[in-house]
Amino acid sequence: MTNREFFRQREYAALCRIPGVREIMGAYADQRPALEKQYPDAAFALKIVSNLFFHDRELTNIHMNAYTSILNGENLADARFRYNRDIVSYHLRHNWD
């Protein structure tokens, strides 16, 4: 098994434990906004899993920290709080770049 396969299996197992992930993934485009409001943790997890790498190393680290929290089964509300705090901090520091 390659590293990629290992992490894909871990990712799949972690996402399956989050309520609402299957519903959002199987929904039509017009149903997604309502389901994302109903399942904010699932929406957050899917957002992080689908956007891991960025042009900026600091942004990538922020996303990778959230991704690691998801894989480790940590509380998603806490992971989302840390993610939002770090993103706001990043934007405040780089507002004039």
Side-chain angles (χ1 to χ4, degrees):
M1 178 182 308
T2 65
N3 283 343
R4 184 182 183 107
E5 291 169 343
F6 173 75
F7 280 103
R8 287 293 175 193
Q9 287 180 358
R10 264 188 87 191
E11 182 180 297
Y12 178 76
L15 288 175
C16 286
R17 288 190 300 264
I18 301 170
V21 167
R22 289 187 184 130
E23 289 84 350
I24 292 174
M25 289 179 67
Y28 292 109
D30 61 332
Q31 298 170 328
R32 282 186 72 118
L35 287 171
E36 288 173 352
K37 286 181 183 175
Q38 185 177 355
Y39 301 107
D41 288 341
F44 170 73
L46 290 172
K47 172 186 162 184
I48 294 300
V49 167
S50 65
N51 297 309
L52 287 179
F53 302 103
F54 291 87
H55 67 282
D56 185 276
R57 182 175 55 103
E58 193 173 353
L59 278 176
T60 299
N61 285 338
I62 292 169
H63 275 256
M64 288 304 288
N65 288 337
Y67 181 71
T68 303
S69 296
I70 292 167
L71 289 186
N72 292 337
E74 295 176 17
N75 184 337
L76 285 176
D78 292 342
R80 198 167 66 236
F81 175 80
R82 286 191 307 268
Y83 171 82
N84 288 333
R85 181 196 62 204
D86 292 346
I87 288 293
V88 167
S89 176
Y90 171 84
H91 285 295
L92 288 174
R93 279 193 315 278
H94 298 286
N95 193 28
W96 299 104
D97 288 354

